[in-house]
Amino acid sequence: MGKIKFIKEFLKNWKEVGSVIPSCRFLAGKMLGPIDFKKAGVIVEIGPGLGCFTNKILEMMDEDTKLIIFEINPDFCRELDKNKDSRLTIFNVSALDMAYHLKEIKADYVISGIPLSTLANDSRGLLFKAIKNILSEGGVYVQFQYSLGAYKKLKSVFKKVALKFTLFNAPPAFVYQCVKESSDSDS
Ligand SMILES: C[S@@+](CC[C@H](N)C(=O)[O-])C[C@H]1O[C@@H](n2cnc3c(N)ncnc32)[C@H](O)[C@@H]1O
């Protein structure tokens, strides 16, 4: 059922949705691997789609951890909203505007499914800056991509970028883990 809805949304707006089907549990494992669920206070997820990472995060996080989601697609938001977990907050706005909605809140982790390859160059740069801006010091940004197209740009924004790969996803995916360090400026 979820897959059909996802394909329909992809056909309506392939650039924004970026993938024909949702990610699988192996990629979810790689994406959530860096999260220390015992210590995480605030986790932000951007581009959750129908929630394949969201549900796993909710399963694993503590009672007093907050999960804040930014998803641009209203149909996906309606589906995500069926999840009545009080730890979850959903914003149906672009992740580019998240600083405005988060106000003073800083994230320990940003988990992203946003398709970087179909974003315009300017928007990609703005997105990386927006993410760095809302991360606390030592906070980690995790992003998957089906190519290495964003690696160079990410390295220019975050000094510390580690790269992982999983064959067990359709298509196989790279996972970037970027750490916000005190020497990284917010600009
Ligand atoms: C490739 S899908 C990933 C969905 C899910 N995380 C997964 O891995 O299956 C990309 C998602 O990013 C959302 N998206 C694209 N641009 C966005 C933006 N600027 N802000 C928030 N969400 C965005 C799309 O609507 C879509 O749900």
Side-chain angles (χ1 to χ4, degrees):
M1 183 65 175
K3 275 192 188 153
I4 291 170
K5 173 134 204 69
F6 203 90
I7 294 169
K8 277 189 185 158
E9 292 306 312
F10 175 79
L11 294 174
K12 276 196 239 163
N13 193 344
W14 66 270
K15 272 195 174 176
E16 211 171 81
V17 176
S19 163
V20 187
I21 52 168
S23 303
C24 77
R25 64 194 165 90
F26 293 106
L27 181 55
K30 279 258 185 297
M31 290 290 291
L32 308 187
I35 302 181
D36 181 342
F37 284 98
K38 286 276 154 259
K39 289 195 183 143
V42 176
I43 302 171
V44 168
E45 188 187 2
I46 57 179
L50 285 171
C52 63
F53 303 154
T54 316
N55 296 332
K56 208 89 219 109
I57 295 170
L58 287 169
E59 245 173 70
M60 295 175 82
M61 74 189 213
D62 275 359
E63 279 312 303
D64 52 359
T65 305
K66 297 282 172 223
L67 175 59
I68 305 173
I69 279 177
F70 293 88
E71 169 55 62
I72 206 165
N73 181 307
D75 290 320
F76 287 157
C77 282
R78 258 191 296 281
E79 289 298 316
L80 291 162
D81 202 35
K82 290 182 181 161
N83 195 329
K84 297 297 174 204
D85 194 309
S86 59
R87 300 168 299 171
L88 176 65
T89 306
I90 301 170
F91 287 104
N92 181 200
V93 298
S94 168
L96 287 168
D97 299 326
M98 59 189 166
Y100 173 80
H101 296 277
L102 288 173
K103 306 198 184 335
E104 298 303 307
I105 298 173
K106 293 282 178 189
D108 301 303
Y109 297 94
V110 174
I111 305 299
S112 171
I114 291 187
L116 299 178
S117 55
T118 53
L119 273 185
N121 257 345
D122 296 1
S123 305
R124 200 179 310 159
L126 288 173
L127 178 69
F128 294 161
K129 282 178 186 167
I131 291 166
K132 197 164 71 170
N133 200 11
I134 63 133
L135 272 175
S136 55
E137 228 175 273
V140 183
Y141 159 42
V142 191
Q143 169 79 53
F144 77 84
Q145 204 187 12
Y146 304 126
S147 74
L148 285 173
Y151 185 72
K152 214 168 142 196
K153 181 74 187 162
L154 271 173
K155 277 294 281 180
S156 72
V157 179
F158 294 90
K159 290 194 189 81
K160 202 167 166 187
V161 181
L163 192 59
K164 301 232 156 114
F165 178 71
T166 181
L167 259 181
F168 304 110
N169 191 65
F174 294 96
V175 176
Y176 305 107
Q177 288 175 25
C178 315
V179 180
K180 176 169 169 173
E181 296 185 313
S182 53
S183 54
D184 284 331
S185 69
D186 275 342
S187 59

